[in-house]
Amino acid sequence: MTRHFLRDDDLSPAEQAEVLALAKRLKASRYAARPFEGPQAVAVIFDKPTLRTQASFTAGIAELGGYPMLVNGALAQIGTRESVPDTARVLGRMVSAVVWRTFGQDRLEEMAAHAGVPVVNALTDEFHPCQLLADLQTIEEHKGPAAGLTVAFLGDAASNMSHSFLLAGTTAGMHVRVSGPEGFAPDPAVLSTASQIAAGTGGSASYVLDPQEAVTAADVVVTDTWVSMGKEDEAEERQRPFRRYAVTGDLLAHAHDDAIVMHCLPAYRGKEIDAEVIDGPRSVVWDEAENRLHAQKALLTWLTEHQT
């Protein structure tokens, strides 16, 4: 059976822990794993703007002994010029894995159904699971084991980052609170799944309307841009309802004194987060960005080792 990583709960709690332990080892010894020696090619497809995803996957695949085959989504026109299944069948005969940063989750699932090689979600409109592996690695580095910690995500609680925090955080045994204005609540199905996962890991999952309540006694405070890719035309109208969810020094004061602050970037200082916070001593965003490299290398290595 070909294993894929399409959403955060594709890994069980034990499997997530294995990947994170491997990420820690690969950060300490960057060339310790070489699953793509040859070099074997890994297709890396971008339908959306990218910096950290492109940099971390291309560098990581090279460090794993492989060749990152960059595919320009605008040129390939997957799903328009050529169907997703046909694209998958072609790539699956040429590469050892497919990494895709795209729009609908259905496109990724269709790719996985036909590629015959591991397919990795490098971001969709619904989930951003590779970011969460890096985030969990960062949390463990700064706070110790994630199980039992409380994380508060502020902003668009209907976003891919909110959904991934709900699933990955509860898989790690965390208490996950996502907080955003009315009309921007998480997908009920995702929240329900997170609650089911939490029942087995000792964590919890909740949607909290009041940002102060969400942050109170939190160990980790997270935010993201209020305007996700593809929703730029909503930027102006989102400013007013989201303003009270901005991570300011005053809001952060309600978290634990040693709480850390995270942001997956790009960040817009003075909007979702104050400059004094993201550039301050409690911010771990640069470790978080670097850990995309190590966590994704660990994931790709783990996937190649778990094909049957």
Side-chain angles (χ1 to χ4, degrees):
M1 180 182 71
T2 302
R3 289 294 300 269
H4 306 289
F5 190 53
L6 309 184
R7 45 186 278 167
D8 307 80
D9 53 346
D10 282 341
L11 295 177
S12 70
E15 290 170 342
Q16 183 194 75
E18 288 178 12
V19 172
L20 292 173
L22 180 55
K24 182 178 181 179
R25 293 198 296 274
L26 291 180
K27 187 170 185 176
S29 180
R30 285 177 63 156
Y31 304 101
R34 305 281 288 179
F36 299 127
E37 197 77 78
Q40 299 175 44
V42 175
V44 188
I45 311 169
F46 297 109
D47 294 339
K48 288 189 173 188
T50 179
L51 170 62
R52 279 153 298 280
T53 298
Q54 180 171 337
S56 57
F57 268 113
T58 54
I61 291 163
E63 290 182 8
L64 293 174
Y67 167 72
M69 179 194 292
L70 296 181
V71 179
N72 184 325
L75 292 178
Q77 298 180 44
I78 300 170
T80 303
R81 179 175 177 269
E82 193 160 3
S83 73
V84 174
D86 285 359
T87 302
R89 293 182 182 106
V90 170
L91 290 176
R93 293 183 175 221
M94 299 182 181
V95 304
S96 296
V98 175
V99 176
W100 197 7
R101 183 179 177 92
T102 190
F103 295 90
Q105 185 76 10
D106 59 321
R107 288 164 60 79
L108 198 74
E109 292 172 355
E110 198 170 15
M111 178 73 77
H114 298 279
V117 296
V119 173
V120 173
N121 181 349
L123 178 142
T124 61
D125 293 341
E126 289 82 6
F127 303 103
H128 198 356
C130 286
Q131 180 66 55
L132 260 292
L133 290 176
D135 288 0
L136 289 171
Q137 181 178 2
T138 307
I139 290 168
E140 290 188 351
E141 287 175 352
H142 289 270
K143 302 296 294 181
L149 296 178
T150 296
V151 56
F153 176 89
L154 302 175
D156 185 353
S159 68
N160 50 14
M161 280 299 295
S162 171
H163 290 158
S164 278
F165 255 106
L166 284 166
L167 296 180
T170 53
T171 298
M174 300 186 77
H175 301 288
V176 184
R177 306 170 186 160
V178 297
S179 183
E182 292 182 2
F184 297 92
D187 183 332
V190 173
L191 185 57
S192 175
T193 298
S195 295
Q196 293 171 25
I197 294 171
T201 62
S204 62
S206 59
Y207 169 54
V208 181
L209 191 60
D210 179 18
Q212 182 174 315
E213 179 185 349
V215 168
T216 296
D219 301 290
V220 183
V221 178
V222 187
T223 190
D224 189 16
T225 176
W226 294 334
V227 185
S228 298
M229 284 176 284
K231 298 181 179 179
E232 289 80 4
D233 58 340
E234 301 176 15
E236 193 60 37
E237 64 187 75
R238 283 181 176 230
Q239 296 303 311
R240 186 186 58 77
F242 279 94
R243 194 165 294 125
R244 63 192 290 253
Y245 295 89
V247 179
T248 64
D250 288 343
L251 185 61
L252 187 60
H254 295 281
H256 280 310
D257 291 342
D258 61 350
I260 58 174
V261 176
M262 305 178 74
H263 191 309
C264 69
L265 304 176
Y268 301 93
R269 291 164 174 81
K271 292 186 177 180
E272 74 273 6
I273 191 166
D274 280 359
E276 66 180 33
V277 175
I278 193 171
D279 298 319
R282 297 166 78 173
S283 170
V284 296
V285 298
W286 313 118
D287 292 343
E288 183 184 2
E290 177 192 340
N291 284 341
R292 288 289 299 277
L293 171 68
H294 311 301
Q296 289 163 183
K297 286 172 63 181
L299 173 70
L300 287 169
T301 301
W302 189 91
L303 286 172
T304 61
E305 293 173 349
H306 288 77
Q307 304 305 308
T308 58

